[in-house]
Amino acid sequence: MTAFRASHADVFSNARVKLYPSVDVLQVANAPIFRAPGWEPQKRAYDVPPKGRGKDPDRALEVSRARAKAAVRDIARCNRFDFFFTWTLDPKLIDRYDADAVKRAAYTHLKNLSSRKGFRYVIVPEFHRDGAIHFHGLCILGDVRIAPATDAHTGRPLFTDRQQPIFNMLDWKLGYSTCIPIDENYDRTCNYLVKYFTKDAQKIFGKWYLSSRCLRKKPDIALISDGMDYVAFRADNPDLSEIPLYCDVCMTSLDYPKDGGDCP
């Protein structure tokens, strides 16, 4: 079969729209970096060093972290999760500082919750300041049991500063848990989760994040074939942050909530 090739201008643009259920996100870059869906990239004209052997490991780590952050944001926006949760580990049950031990226990627990309870999740593992591992994530509970969290001294139900009820996840058996219903500010919660990808964040278990296989991972994308004037777009939207990508390439984005969506 004859391979079809198209010119760079026909396949690439500096602007695209990511189409999520509740919001459309316009992304505009200062270079034509977005490829139209369905087109495979050509072989690079230069060699790419093996993983972990790049000339600038700090930059490689930064790029890897940024990609993971974008992937988690895509998952969060492509799927409507119901709760934000935090899991900690009981030192009486597991060595919270042993990544291998925590990985084995957490993976087994997640497998059981997913297969037996219909639990769906995207999770960001994180090191505490003292090196202990804990987890933050978004979830769809399925049949996982929850109960109102109460004050240890008064027995009264606990609430967040925004008066959201706080629950404990009864089926998390490895430590303490909190589970908070996501309110109408869904995008704000998604942004809150990706903020855990700080410049000091590290891969744990060899991954930046964990997610259920059955979730939708990427949105549909519409390429703006004629592109957009990046400088003019920035001038019209001066409050938008500029995101450095690589070399001198950067981009910015603007959200267009759909009916029933919310602004971050």
Side-chain angles (χ1 to χ4, degrees):
M1 180 181 292
T2 303
F4 292 94
R5 291 190 177 185
S7 68
H8 190 278
D10 290 333
V11 177
F12 286 84
S13 174
N14 79 316
R16 68 180 181 182
V17 180
K18 301 180 81 170
L19 308 170
Y20 300 99
S22 61
V23 64
D24 291 338
V25 179
L26 171 62
Q27 296 180 322
V28 185
N30 64 348
I33 61 172
F34 303 125
R35 187 174 70 248
W39 290 96
E40 294 297 326
Q42 294 184 10
K43 180 178 174 58
R44 291 186 176 95
Y46 54 89
D47 293 329
V48 178
K51 185 176 180 180
R53 298 183 184 179
K55 294 181 179 179
D56 189 345
D58 290 337
R59 177 183 172 276
L61 181 65
E62 182 180 353
V63 171
S64 175
R65 186 187 298 113
R67 288 177 176 172
K69 185 176 181 178
V72 168
R73 191 188 300 275
D74 276 347
I75 294 171
R77 282 179 152 177
C78 284
N79 304 271
R80 185 70 190 197
F81 293 98
D82 300 323
F83 289 84
F84 177 89
F85 69 94
T86 297
W87 286 343
T88 62
L89 299 165
D90 186 341
K92 297 178 181 178
L93 299 176
I94 190 169
D95 184 352
R96 301 175 297 168
Y97 305 93
D98 185 337
D100 290 335
V102 173
K103 177 182 177 179
R104 289 192 297 271
Y107 276 41
T108 298
H109 214 72
L110 285 169
K111 182 178 180 180
N112 290 336
L113 290 179
S114 299
S115 61
R116 298 177 183 178
K117 303 277 187 177
F119 185 69
R120 285 173 283 172
Y121 59 87
V122 56
I123 296 173
V124 179
E126 184 187 30
F127 286 117
H128 195 265
R129 290 179 182 177
D130 67 354
I133 298 171
H134 60 284
F135 306 87
H136 303 284
L138 307 177
C139 71
I140 298 170
L141 287 174
D143 294 327
V144 169
R145 298 171 299 150
I146 60 174
T150 57
D151 186 287
H153 301 290
T154 66
R156 294 177 179 175
L158 296 177
F159 296 85
T160 67
D161 293 340
R162 293 163 55 193
Q163 294 306 301
Q164 297 162 281
I166 301 175
F167 296 89
N168 297 132
M169 199 178 294
L170 303 182
D171 292 313
W172 173 247
K173 302 295 187 180
L174 299 177
Y176 185 73
S177 65
T178 59
C179 187
I180 302 170
I182 301 175
D183 59 15
E184 68 277 4
N185 298 299
Y186 186 81
D187 249 25
R188 182 182 298 171
T189 305
C190 296
N191 291 334
Y192 185 75
L193 178 63
V194 300
K195 284 182 180 178
Y196 287 105
F197 289 102
T198 65
K199 65 178 181 179
D200 298 322
Q202 303 176 45
K203 278 187 179 181
I204 305 177
F205 320 140
K207 296 183 177 182
W208 290 107
Y209 66 93
L210 312 173
S211 65
S212 300
R213 295 181 180 179
C214 58
L215 297 174
R216 183 172 182 181
K217 302 300 175 70
K218 292 183 178 296
D220 292 330
I221 293 176
L223 200 72
I224 300 177
S225 57
D226 295 330
M228 296 180 65
D229 186 321
Y230 181 77
V231 175
F233 183 74
R234 288 275 296 150
D236 291 340
N237 301 276
D239 294 334
L240 297 180
S241 59
E242 189 171 56
I243 306 167
L245 299 178
Y246 55 87
C247 298
D248 295 324
V249 178
C250 51
M251 61 167 273
T252 189
S253 65
L254 182 61
D255 291 0
Y256 292 91
K258 300 177 182 178
D259 292 341
D262 66 291
C263 292

